[in-house]
Amino acid sequence: MTAAEASLREQVRAAIDATGASQAAIARQLGLSTKHMNMMLTGRATLTLTWAERILNTISMRVEVAVYAQEQQ
C-alpha cells in the first residue's frame, strides 16, 4: 500500500468518525456489505477514489486531490 492510499483510508475513516456516522449505515446506503466497507477502510480491499467519493458523499463531504513536489533529501 502506498502512502497516498494509506492517507486516503485514514482521512475517510476520520471523516466518518467525525460525523458520528456508522460504517454499517453508510454501507447499507451504498449497497455494500459491512464486511466489504470495513475491508476497504482497513486496506484489505481496494479503496478507489470513486469509492472514497461515494462514501464521503453520504456524509456530505468530498474528496480533493493535491499534487506536491517531492522534497529534496
Side-chain angles (χ1 to χ4, degrees):
M1 173 185 337
T2 68
E5 291 168 328
S7 179
L8 177 62
R9 280 189 177 84
E10 180 181 318
Q11 289 181 57
V12 171
R13 282 193 313 265
I16 292 168
D17 291 345
T19 63
S22 75
Q23 288 183 21
I26 294 170
R28 277 192 301 276
Q29 214 173 335
L30 295 172
L32 294 172
S33 70
T34 54
K35 180 179 180 178
H36 188 69
M37 174 78 162
N38 182 267
M39 289 175 69
M40 285 194 294
L41 296 177
T42 58
R44 294 187 320 255
T46 302
L47 176 64
T48 63
L49 280 175
T50 300
W51 272 112
E53 286 178 316
R54 291 180 71 186
I55 291 165
L56 292 172
N57 198 28
T58 66
I59 56 173
S60 300
M61 295 187 134
R62 62 189 168 94
V63 173
E64 285 191 14
V65 177
V67 177
Y68 301 95
Q70 290 186 1
E71 293 181 13
Q72 297 293 325
Q73 295 184 7

